[in-house]
Amino acid sequence: MARKPLTNPRKEASQARSRATVDALVEATARILVRDGFDKASTNRIADMAGVSIGSLYQYYPSKEALVAAVIDRHNRQIMRRVRTVLTEIASLPIESAVRRAVAVAIEAHRIDPRLHRVLAEQIPRVGQLQNVEALNREGYALFRGYLESRRGELRVTDLGLAAFVCATSIEALAHTAVLYHTEMLLDAEALIEEATRFILGYLQPPPG
Amino acid sequence: MARKPLTNPRKEASQARSRATVDALVEATARILVRDGFDKASTNRIADMAGVSIGSLYQYYPSKEALVAAVIDRHNRQIMRRVRTVLTEIASLPIESAVRRAVAVAIEAHRIDPRLHRVLAEQIPRVGQLQNVEALNREGYALFRGYLESRRGELRVTDLGLAAFVCATSIEALAHTAVLYHTEMLLDAEALIEEATRFILGYLQPPPG
DNA sequence: GTGGAAGACGAGCTATCGCTCGTATCCTAT
DNA sequence: ATAGGATACGAGCGATAGCTCGTCTTCCAC
């Protein structure tokens, strides 16, 4: 396997001026990733677009990968803030509305910055941040599993771990695919949400009657 | 968006000797992709591993991307041959066994060469082959949709297009995730297949009774 | 058996990459 | 006011990338 470059920031920025520099670098990285893709995102170009000298760039980030990792981090934080909130709120809801909310937030999360999300989804493996993203997936999975456990009596599934995996993976994939590759479906997002909800419920809930 | 390099082969190999050269190049590309990743797969290195001079490489492929595209192509062909066969066979099967077979073949297909599949899944967007892969997905989707239509009377879903999208996307995602990131699940692949089958059937079939 | 097309070769060009380091400027504690 | 740490600068180094082109070798139709 390939050797991993360091992806941690080099030092904290302590003065306001330098914090602005760091922000500009991360922002410029995100913009270049979206506009030109990972390959054309050279450190020189990033520094340029940030209006910062290449020397300053290397004061804060040891490599291009570290910069991309910072972008990923920022994006993930945005997503998880939203997902965590909603998946915590659903605890008190009945199954049907809980699942509907979960599906909706998955779509919402993917729509936060779809173009960036797409580039990142493609580039994350190369930056060696896969574990971190796996950790996020696992958190979503764990939150959902927690909910299932609290409602175990109302479910027809027995292996809640497996069920949570199946649900979380599918919901994520549906949201991901729809947002990134089938935007026309979002014109009637409600219909998609309803269908996905029926999908999940048909699996989780015992047949009526 | 980034400028696209040409990805078409440069010329056909007509003599046996040159066909061997082309094969060696594609094979070497695949091996280096798996072993070292896309970034370290330089044309010089590929030519080296193939035991072919760099000049010969450029006689047949105009760029590194073209070589990777050839690898993708070969791999996709392997996968689709299998998937097409099975999805055609299921036409005569009742829903339950048809879905089970479909799930099984999705997993099977991802297991053909998982390490290569993983690298390719990550790198395909950069090679601009996304449409081609989308075409494959659409073929899988269309085949499955055809089956659903032939059984429409036995289903509870109404929008078969949407249903096929939901099923195909989920099955693919479950197979993909399990094979690439949760190999421990494959120790009991039967259990996974059964669960996924229940999952899909709960959505497609009307409640019993 | 020979001429010309097909194939193979690899030194080396240009471009760009990631990155360092010596120097200049700014900020703040005293 | 000023010392000295924090911050910013950017010319330019070494490495490596993709790729060309002039030359040599092999194959095959006649």
Side-chain angles (χ1 to χ4, degrees):
Chain A
M1 272 292 157
R3 182 144 308 291
K4 305 178 189 176
L6 296 174
T7 54
N8 290 336
R10 204 159 231 174
K11 66 174 175 188
E12 284 306 274
S14 71
Q15 301 178 1
R17 180 168 55 132
S18 54
R19 248 171 283 129
T21 301
V22 169
D23 282 356
L25 285 171
V26 176
E27 184 56 32
T29 305
R31 287 161 77 111
I32 292 192
L33 280 178
V34 168
R35 216 192 44 192
D36 306 319
F38 186 87
D39 290 331
K40 308 224 165 165
S42 73
T43 50
N44 282 307
R45 213 194 288 270
I46 291 171
D48 223 41
M49 157 141 298
V52 159
S53 87
I54 182 65
S56 297
L57 185 154
Y58 279 96
Q59 294 232 337
Y60 299 102
Y61 294 97
S63 70
K64 168 178 162 176
E65 277 76 13
L67 235 5
V68 176
V71 173
I72 292 173
D73 219 57
R74 197 179 67 168
H75 184 67
N76 282 346
R77 250 196 277 274
Q78 280 183 60
I79 287 187
M80 286 314 287
R81 197 178 321 136
R82 187 83 192 107
V83 170
R84 248 191 302 262
T85 311
V86 172
L87 287 195
T88 306
E89 284 169 5
I90 66 170
S92 56
L93 299 180
I95 298 180
E96 181 171 338
S97 30
V99 169
R100 186 174 292 110
R101 289 288 285 137
V103 171
V105 79
I107 295 178
E108 219 181 279
H110 280 85
R111 289 178 98 169
I112 287 181
D113 189 344
R115 308 210 302 150
L116 180 61
H117 190 83
R118 180 170 178 165
V119 181
L120 294 184
E122 293 162 359
Q123 304 303 342
I124 281 171
R126 307 174 62 211
V127 182
Q129 295 284 91
L130 250 185
Q131 331 84 300
N132 302 25
V133 174
E134 259 307 297
L136 299 194
N137 283 341
R138 244 190 292 278
E139 188 186 336
Y141 155 85
L143 286 169
F144 193 76
R145 178 178 176 162
Y147 176 78
L148 291 187
E149 257 152 18
S150 78
R151 302 273 163 167
R152 108 174 304 146
E154 306 169 46
L155 306 177
R156 76 165 190 193
V157 292
T158 52
D159 183 338
L160 295 187
L162 191 51
F165 168 78
V166 166
C167 293
T169 301
S170 297
I171 292 176
E172 209 277 332
L174 289 172
H176 185 87
T177 308
V179 172
L180 299 188
Y181 305 111
H182 291 277
T183 43
E184 80 280 359
M185 286 191 166
L186 302 175
L187 297 178
D188 189 357
E190 283 312 312
L192 180 61
I193 293 174
E194 279 315 306
E195 194 70 9
T197 303
R198 270 196 294 277
F199 182 39
I200 301 292
L201 288 177
Y203 167 61
L204 292 176
Q205 284 183 324
Chain B
M1 269 294 158
R3 185 141 305 293
K4 307 177 187 178
L6 296 174
T7 53
N8 290 337
R10 202 158 232 176
K11 67 175 178 190
E12 287 300 278
S14 70
Q15 301 179 4
R17 181 170 51 136
S18 56
R19 249 172 283 129
T21 301
V22 169
D23 282 357
L25 285 170
V26 176
E27 182 58 31
T29 304
R31 287 161 76 111
I32 291 191
L33 279 179
V34 168
R35 217 191 43 192
D36 305 319
F38 186 86
D39 291 330
K40 309 226 164 164
S42 75
T43 49
N44 282 306
R45 214 195 287 271
I46 291 171
D48 223 43
M49 158 141 298
V52 159
S53 86
I54 183 66
S56 298
L57 184 154
Y58 279 96
Q59 295 231 338
Y60 300 103
Y61 294 98
S63 70
K64 169 178 162 178
E65 278 75 14
L67 236 4
V68 176
V71 173
I72 292 173
D73 218 60
R74 197 179 68 168
H75 184 67
N76 283 346
R77 251 196 278 275
Q78 279 184 59
I79 286 186
M80 286 314 287
R81 197 179 321 136
R82 186 83 191 107
V83 170
R84 249 190 301 262
T85 312
V86 172
L87 287 195
T88 307
E89 284 170 5
I90 67 170
S92 56
L93 298 179
I95 299 180
E96 180 170 338
S97 28
V99 169
R100 186 174 292 110
R101 288 289 285 137
V103 170
V105 79
I107 295 178
E108 220 182 278
H110 280 85
R111 289 179 98 169
I112 286 179
D113 189 343
R115 308 209 303 150
L116 179 61
H117 190 83
R118 180 171 178 164
V119 181
L120 295 184
E122 294 163 1
Q123 304 303 341
I124 281 172
R126 304 174 65 208
V127 181
Q129 293 285 91
L130 250 185
Q131 330 85 302
N132 300 27
V133 173
E134 259 309 295
L136 299 193
N137 282 341
R138 246 191 292 276
E139 187 185 335
Y141 154 86
L143 287 170
F144 194 75
R145 177 178 178 161
Y147 176 78
L148 291 187
E149 258 151 19
S150 78
R151 302 274 164 167
R152 108 174 303 145
E154 304 170 47
L155 306 177
R156 75 164 190 194
V157 291
T158 53
D159 184 338
L160 294 188
L162 191 51
F165 168 77
V166 166
C167 292
T169 302
S170 297
I171 291 176
E172 208 277 334
L174 288 171
H176 186 86
T177 308
V179 172
L180 299 189
Y181 306 111
H182 291 278
T183 43
E184 79 279 0
M185 287 190 165
L186 301 175
L187 298 178
D188 190 356
E190 282 311 313
L192 180 61
I193 293 174
E194 280 314 305
E195 194 71 8
T197 303
R198 267 196 296 275
F199 182 40
I200 302 292
L201 289 177
Y203 167 61
L204 293 176
Q205 283 183 322

